Amino acid sequence: YLNKRIKMFVARSSWTRNMLMNWGINGNKVVVIPCAVDMEKWKPRDNCNETLRMSNFIYAGSINKNKGVNILYDSFKKIYKKIEKGKPFENWLSLYIVSGEFNNDDNLMQQLKASAEYRDSNFLRIFVYPWGQLSYILRQGGIVFVHPQSYDIGEPLQFGHPLLFALSSGLPIISLNQGSAQDFIVDNWNGFLCETCGDIGKAMQYFIDNPTEIERMGKNSKKRAIERYSSEKIGEKYKNIYEEILNEN
């Protein structure tokens, strides 16, 4: 019915397009046009001189197991314990959690808050921030965005706005190789697409061991945002679709 009545379907991501095709929608009628991003609001900081002195990781979204926050938290703790037992670590190691007020797991929230109350002035920092602070946090130095959600514990993203904001802000991104993350990330170019939850911790460790990669991959993220997600690019795609439909009539 839909194939006959609708001229064109617009999907926000390649994942959504594949989902529509699995439902029987003609793939020739589905075009991927993602959301645009405000390049002025979501932009890298002007001075990144602190990058080499920091290893910061950030997650933005609901605090619950369906989003994989427990995987991120466990990976972060393992990294901390590993370095604590090894050679002295000269950089800061910080985990930023930015979340709204809805769909949060109370027990997991208490774990994070308990950890956030602990401060090792020479090493470990965990912060929990409200959603309104996201644009500020993304512009801090040496940050890597981590999206730990898995097929096994929740629905994969159809379109992830936090990932888009991180991309535009010039951050490398670590995610499982699922959902809309496949559109945002080119593996080993502007982040890592991980095959397993355990690989997320390995990717985080990579940036700790190679802090200069944060700047390199971050620049590539910004380049990808400009090329694919600017208002001008998205507007042009919609214009072309409308013209194509009108010309058919």
Side-chain angles (χ1 to χ4, degrees):
Y1 173 80
L2 293 176
N3 282 324
K4 293 180 180 179
R5 296 295 300 272
I6 297 178
K7 292 282 188 180
M8 190 69 67
F9 296 84
V10 175
R12 294 299 189 196
S13 67
S14 299
W15 160 257
T16 309
R17 180 178 185 272
N18 292 336
M19 183 175 63
L20 290 171
M21 292 171 61
N22 288 337
W23 289 349
I25 302 300
N26 185 345
N28 293 327
K29 287 191 171 187
V30 184
V31 60
V32 177
I33 304 181
C35 296
V37 63
D38 185 343
M39 295 286 178
E40 286 301 312
K41 180 178 181 180
W42 306 99
K43 61 182 179 181
R45 63 184 297 178
D46 296 328
N47 187 346
C48 294
N49 291 335
E50 296 181 24
T51 295
L52 300 184
R53 292 289 300 162
M54 296 184 179
S55 293
N56 299 326
F57 300 94
I58 180 172
Y59 162 82
S62 300
I63 299 176
N64 59 59
K65 292 183 178 180
N66 286 340
K67 294 291 186 178
V69 177
N70 57 315
I71 295 172
L72 173 60
Y73 180 58
D74 290 343
S75 297
F76 189 75
K77 287 194 300 181
K78 288 178 181 178
I79 290 171
Y80 172 55
K81 290 179 180 178
K82 178 180 178 181
I83 298 177
E84 190 178 36
K85 294 179 180 179
K87 62 182 181 181
F89 185 68
E90 298 180 354
N91 291 359
W92 286 102
L93 180 62
S94 304
L95 175 62
Y96 295 93
I97 304 289
V98 182
S99 179
E101 299 178 356
F102 304 102
N103 300 321
N104 293 326
D105 181 291
D106 290 338
N107 292 330
L108 193 53
M109 281 285 290
Q110 290 303 317
Q111 277 186 294
L112 292 172
K113 288 181 178 179
S115 298
E117 291 174 359
Y118 171 72
R119 293 287 185 273
D120 180 338
S121 60
N122 295 319
F123 187 67
L124 176 67
R125 301 181 294 181
I126 296 178
F127 303 95
V128 181
Y129 284 94
W131 188 260
Q133 294 288 325
L134 180 59
S135 61
Y136 168 75
I137 298 301
L138 290 179
R139 297 191 67 193
Q140 302 308 299
I143 284 196
V144 177
F145 190 90
V146 186
H147 176 72
Q149 186 175 359
S150 168
Y151 277 121
D152 297 330
I153 56 177
E155 290 297 321
L157 283 184
Q158 296 183 25
F159 188 82
H161 282 90
L163 277 75
L164 176 58
F165 300 153
L167 196 78
S168 183
S169 299
L171 272 62
I173 303 173
I174 298 171
S175 175
L176 287 168
N177 189 14
Q178 302 171 354
S180 63
Q182 296 168 335
D183 289 345
F184 295 119
I185 303 169
V186 177
D187 193 45
N188 205 31
W189 184 74
N190 71 319
F192 292 104
L193 290 168
C194 302
E195 298 302 327
T196 68
C197 294
D199 290 339
I200 289 179
K202 294 177 183 178
M204 294 170 68
Q205 185 68 56
Y206 176 83
F207 285 111
I208 292 173
D209 294 338
N210 304 278
T212 56
E213 287 287 83
I214 298 177
E215 182 177 1
R216 181 185 73 85
M217 291 194 187
K219 289 180 178 179
N220 290 338
S221 283
K222 185 61 181 183
K223 180 179 179 181
R224 190 166 181 82
I226 293 172
E227 292 176 349
R228 297 172 65 107
Y229 300 100
S230 68
S231 299
E232 292 78 13
K233 294 288 186 182
I234 301 305
E236 185 67 23
K237 287 185 177 181
Y238 273 110
K239 176 177 175 291
N240 292 338
I241 288 298
Y242 291 145
E243 289 179 348
E244 180 180 339
I245 294 173
L246 290 173
N247 289 336
E248 288 180 0
N249 296 330

